[in-house]
Amino acid sequence: MTPHLIYRQARWRLKSCSAYGPVDEGQQMPLEVNKHVQRIRRYQPFDADTSEMIYELQADWTQSLFPVVTLKYLLDAIERPTTKTIVLTGDAGHGKTSLCASLLAELRVDAEPITPEVRKAVFLELSGAGDASRSIGQTRSGRPLYILSDLSELSPQAGARKLVELLDPPDEGIAIICANEGQLRKCVAEDDNLGKGGTGRAKILVKTLTEGIVRGQVTDPDGTVTVINLNYQSVAADSDNGGLIPWVLKQWTTNQWSRWKPCETCDARNVCPILANRNELNDLTRGPQRRAAIRDVFAAAERTGAVITTRQALSVTSYMLTGGLSCENVHAKYQRSHSNRLWQAPHLYHQALFGDRLTQQQRHLVPAFFALRKLDPGKVSRRQVDDRLDPDTAGDFPPADASSYLQKVRTNRDVQKQAEQLRGLYTFLRRADFFNSDDDTDRFARMGLQAGDDFVRVQDKNRDPADTRVRDRFLKGLEAVQGIHRAGSNPDFFILDPAFFTHRARAAVISRRVPSKGVEVVDQVTQWQREAGTGTTPEMQNAVEWLNRAIYIRIPAIAPNQNAVSVEADLLRFELLTRWAAGLRSEVQHEAEIRGLSGSLAELADSSNKEDEIQVLVGNIMRKLMIDVGDKIRSVRA
């Protein structure tokens, strides 16, 4: 038990009043069921009675859709005279079908507002003609539009034939194909089998997809094929609107108070965590910073390498806002005890966001929970944070009764129980403080990412070019991957012979020494520009809701006929490199990362060195081994 809690034992009290004032037990009101809460809960796939969260089954046609930039890009792309085929690819749940429906609705009403009736009519037409057997609309220039809403519905053989057919749509039209990346590659591979009737024409689709990954280009050189990889789509985009997450939170919590009006007359309103979550996120003073902190958590998760689809983002946000509860669940709790305020804590938004109450099977239905739980600020102990945490500020719904963990312990079992309760208390308080804090300068550190600020700083075009701290730390981490640990800041970078990577004895052969001066660290967009050899902005940045999720260290070419070697690092890998540079290492736990980085560095090894001089690193001391007359080996200090 900490002294901090002992001193507060005497003045701890459970709150009997809420933000709405004291509960009047004599004033009875009906228990209301809010239809808005029911609509929000439909995005959660954990209950058997919830519908799949896809556009086609969305019953609320009046609910607006997020104005994704990909829609604007599609509207422009279909008006290009050279365009014939557009492929929307990526993981399931990115909203490929929704994009097609929105595109048709925009073309149908042109500059007029899209009404619920138009959206519903477009859905019905798309469901009947989504096999691209006939045109389903036309562009503003009058070209017919064919849409294949799901390539996965076809076998690889049939899909291959359909792809070839849609490379040249009838009547000089335009075809839009929605395809998961795996199915797209299967169908293209089937068409590439010339011995079984394949044409080989469909491989342009995979080639364009690969160009998007390597250089950020989404259109082939002829301009006829466009492939948009929606796995680059971010739900927490680095844009003025912040992406999908802030927009959804605003739609569900701040806009249209009439949606939450039934809660005003509900008898359980003072003990309802759903309404408490809504009010916390809609608070005029702290609501914006809380919503911004939620967006930052999602952005950090994407930067660690997680692909969070639109479907997953809406599922997590829905679960976070409702705490996994329905109005009926709250009513049942209220009827058992009108004044109990100890059951609500796990359902508050800052606790529900990390899915503690979900089973592993349920989390697998929404994999974004796994990425978010890795960044849980409740699991990170920082002295400057923990010292200011006060259980008295836990709010209207404290995590537990103080008497349960402040009582005197007598047995080992009591000690273990108290320790578990204190861990739960501090987890609750750290999470709440993370979202309530108006200081956003240490958010990465509170999520356990000490290198997060440096990672984001690489994207700053106005950063001081003379500041080489990130570059030096990156190189030092890459040396640590090879088992080299040199003190201080060094002007060069060692690359060992691949035979000595990671598992070396006291001495190791140095294959190459690279001066640090020509090495640079760049963000994803700059990397694409360097690979393409142009200064133009890659199309991918404008085709999707964009967030830089990786940085690259570019080591210049050694020989004239070689290309620069780039080593990619997402936020998690960069964090590991930073910690390895500081001397921390876990070869077993991070074996896959070490193997991948070693493979990249092996490209820099000099296998053509035929000189009679070999540089060897003995401990941390450089020595030269020279072959003298009579094949004698002489060693001198380098």
Side-chain angles (χ1 to χ4, degrees):
M1 184 186 306
T2 64
H4 183 81
L5 291 175
I6 294 175
Y7 294 147
R8 280 163 174 74
Q9 180 176 8
R11 58 193 190 90
W12 177 280
R13 65 185 184 278
L14 297 178
K15 309 293 186 180
S16 60
C17 298
S18 71
Y20 303 99
V23 178
D24 184 357
E25 297 290 349
Q27 182 183 3
Q28 294 295 322
M29 294 183 179
L31 295 173
E32 301 284 354
V33 175
N34 190 333
K35 292 183 178 180
H36 181 51
V37 173
Q38 289 180 322
R39 285 191 293 268
I40 293 174
R41 277 180 49 79
R42 292 182 66 251
Y43 293 95
Q44 300 173 30
F46 311 123
D47 298 329
D49 60 342
T50 56
S51 60
E52 292 184 25
M53 195 210 62
I54 56 177
Y55 181 88
E56 295 89 330
L57 297 179
Q58 184 63 263
D60 186 9
W61 302 103
T62 62
Q63 186 173 337
S64 58
L65 295 176
F66 175 61
V68 62
V69 298
T70 309
L71 176 60
K72 182 179 182 301
Y73 185 88
L74 285 175
L75 287 168
D76 293 337
I78 61 176
E79 300 301 332
R80 298 173 191 161
T82 57
T83 302
K84 289 185 176 181
T85 308
I86 299 175
V87 177
L88 301 175
T89 187
D91 294 348
H94 277 299
K96 297 183 282 290
T97 307
S98 175
L99 271 170
C100 291
S102 298
L103 177 68
L104 292 174
E106 288 282 349
L107 293 173
R108 182 160 299 186
V109 302
D110 200 10
E112 299 295 324
I114 300 175
T115 63
E117 291 74 19
V118 169
R119 290 174 57 192
K120 190 172 183 179
V122 164
F123 153 65
L124 293 174
E125 192 169 351
L126 183 60
S127 61
D131 58 355
S133 58
R134 61 180 176 84
S135 66
I136 195 173
Q138 62 180 16
T139 66
R140 287 167 181 156
S141 57
R143 298 174 66 185
L145 199 61
Y146 300 85
I147 294 180
L148 180 61
S149 60
D150 191 356
L151 183 65
S152 298
E153 293 181 354
L154 304 176
S155 66
Q157 296 79 11
R161 291 192 296 270
K162 198 68 176 179
L163 289 179
V164 174
E165 175 188 331
L166 294 179
L167 286 173
D168 287 305
D171 303 322
E172 298 184 350
I174 294 177
I176 299 179
I177 303 167
C178 300
N180 292 343
E181 184 177 338
Q183 180 70 2
L184 178 66
R185 291 183 181 275
K186 284 181 184 178
C187 294
V188 170
E190 188 70 27
D191 179 65
D192 209 30
N193 191 341
L194 303 181
K196 292 186 177 181
T199 65
R201 295 184 58 205
K203 63 184 177 184
I204 185 63
L205 301 177
V206 170
K207 184 178 179 181
T208 307
L209 174 64
T210 304
E211 282 295 302
I213 297 172
V214 176
R215 295 183 176 84
Q217 301 300 325
V218 300
T219 305
D220 74 324
D222 296 334
T224 59
V225 172
T226 297
V227 180
I228 302 176
N229 188 350
L230 293 178
N231 281 342
Y232 284 106
Q233 187 97 277
S234 171
V235 298
D238 190 11
S239 58
D240 293 337
N241 62 13
L244 175 68
I245 294 297
W247 183 86
V248 168
L249 289 172
K250 187 175 181 181
Q251 290 289 318
W252 286 353
T253 64
T254 64
N255 287 359
Q256 299 184 9
W257 165 245
S258 59
R259 292 179 174 178
W260 292 93
K261 193 161 184 151
C263 297
E264 285 184 323
T265 58
C266 181
D267 201 29
R269 67 192 184 282
N270 291 324
V271 296
C272 178
I274 302 175
L275 184 59
N277 288 337
R278 185 267 173 184
N279 291 334
E280 289 277 293
L281 296 172
N282 188 42
D283 182 76
L284 294 179
T285 304
R286 292 195 170 184
Q289 74 192 37
R290 289 166 179 157
R291 297 195 298 271
I294 293 171
R295 181 257 169 199
D296 288 346
V297 174
F298 275 92
E302 290 187 321
R303 284 175 168 139
T304 57
V307 175
I308 302 178
T309 66
T310 301
R311 181 178 302 176
Q312 293 180 34
L314 291 175
S315 295
V316 172
T317 308
S318 168
Y319 184 81
M320 176 193 70
L321 183 57
T322 64
L325 298 171
S326 65
C327 291
E328 291 82 357
N329 297 145
V330 176
H331 297 166
K333 296 272 191 182
Y334 172 75
Q335 287 172 335
R336 282 196 287 271
S337 175
H338 290 189
S339 59
N340 186 354
R341 295 174 177 274
L342 296 177
W343 61 267
Q344 295 91 342
H347 305 287
L348 298 180
Y349 77 94
H350 43 74
Q351 309 300 312
L353 176 60
F354 302 99
D356 292 341
R357 296 174 62 85
L358 295 175
T359 64
Q360 283 289 96
Q361 184 178 4
Q362 289 174 322
R363 289 176 196 147
H364 278 291
L365 295 174
V366 186
F369 277 111
F370 291 107
L372 295 171
R373 287 174 66 81
K374 292 178 182 177
L375 306 175
D376 183 0
K379 306 293 184 179
V380 179
S381 176
R382 304 188 76 222
R383 185 67 178 267
Q384 58 267 46
V385 173
D386 291 354
D387 280 352
R388 72 166 184 260
L389 297 179
D390 186 350
D392 281 351
T393 62
D396 291 338
F397 305 124
D401 187 347
S403 61
S404 66
Y405 53 79
L406 292 177
Q407 61 186 353
K408 188 177 295 185
V409 296
R410 294 180 176 83
T411 65
N412 287 338
R413 186 175 180 181
D414 291 340
V415 172
Q416 293 173 354
K417 181 179 179 181
Q418 186 184 71
E420 182 64 31
Q421 290 171 330
L422 287 175
R423 278 195 295 269
L425 172 66
Y426 270 93
T427 297
F428 178 94
L429 294 175
R430 288 167 184 163
R431 288 172 176 172
D433 184 74
F434 177 85
F435 293 101
N436 286 327
S437 175
D438 55 4
D439 181 11
D440 60 356
T441 57
D442 66 342
R443 279 184 181 162
F444 281 113
R446 296 191 63 173
M447 289 185 280
L449 300 168
Q450 302 293 337
D453 291 324
D454 286 337
F455 184 91
V456 175
R457 197 174 293 119
V458 170
Q459 305 166 31
D460 184 4
K461 305 300 181 184
N462 299 319
R463 71 182 189 275
D464 183 5
D467 187 356
T468 61
R469 288 175 298 175
V470 175
R471 182 204 69 186
D472 293 345
R473 197 179 307 128
F474 209 139
L475 290 175
K476 206 173 185 69
L478 290 176
E479 284 190 341
V481 167
Q482 305 171 79
I484 304 173
H485 297 278
R486 293 192 289 169
S489 179
N490 301 286
D492 53 6
F493 170 56
F494 287 171
I495 301 169
L496 297 186
D497 186 286
F500 293 89
F501 278 176
T502 68
H503 301 291
R504 67 181 180 89
R506 185 166 174 264
V509 175
I510 294 178
S511 175
R512 194 186 296 277
R513 296 174 70 174
V514 179
S516 301
K517 185 177 180 180
V519 178
E520 62 176 344
V521 179
V522 299
D523 62 14
Q524 178 107 56
V525 175
T526 307
Q527 166 69 10
W528 280 338
Q529 291 172 331
R530 296 281 198 279
E531 288 295 312
T534 64
T536 57
T537 301
E539 291 177 282
M540 188 70 75
Q541 188 179 13
N542 298 321
V544 299
E545 295 288 328
W546 179 254
L547 178 73
N548 268 305
R549 306 188 199 194
I551 61 175
Y552 293 77
I553 189 163
R554 291 180 57 84
I555 302 174
I558 306 299
N561 60 341
Q562 292 179 331
N563 297 322
V565 173
S566 300
V567 179
E568 179 183 1
D570 58 25
L571 180 51
L572 188 58
R573 175 179 277 189
F574 184 62
E575 180 73 20
L576 289 174
L577 286 169
T578 300
R579 298 193 181 197
W580 290 338
L584 301 176
R585 184 77 177 271
S586 177
E587 293 182 1
V588 176
Q589 184 177 0
H590 302 293
E591 183 181 358
E593 286 289 343
I594 293 174
R595 191 163 53 244
L597 289 166
S598 299
S600 299
L601 293 174
E603 298 181 38
L604 290 164
D606 185 5
S607 59
S608 60
N609 189 359
K610 299 180 180 178
E611 297 181 3
D612 290 337
E613 181 180 298
I614 301 174
Q615 291 183 326
V616 179
L617 191 66
V618 182
N620 284 323
I621 300 174
M622 284 286 299
R623 301 193 70 86
K624 290 182 181 179
L625 298 182
M626 293 175 288
I627 302 176
D628 203 347
V629 177
D631 291 338
K632 292 181 180 179
I633 298 178
R634 301 183 182 275
S635 172
V636 297
R637 187 157 182 168

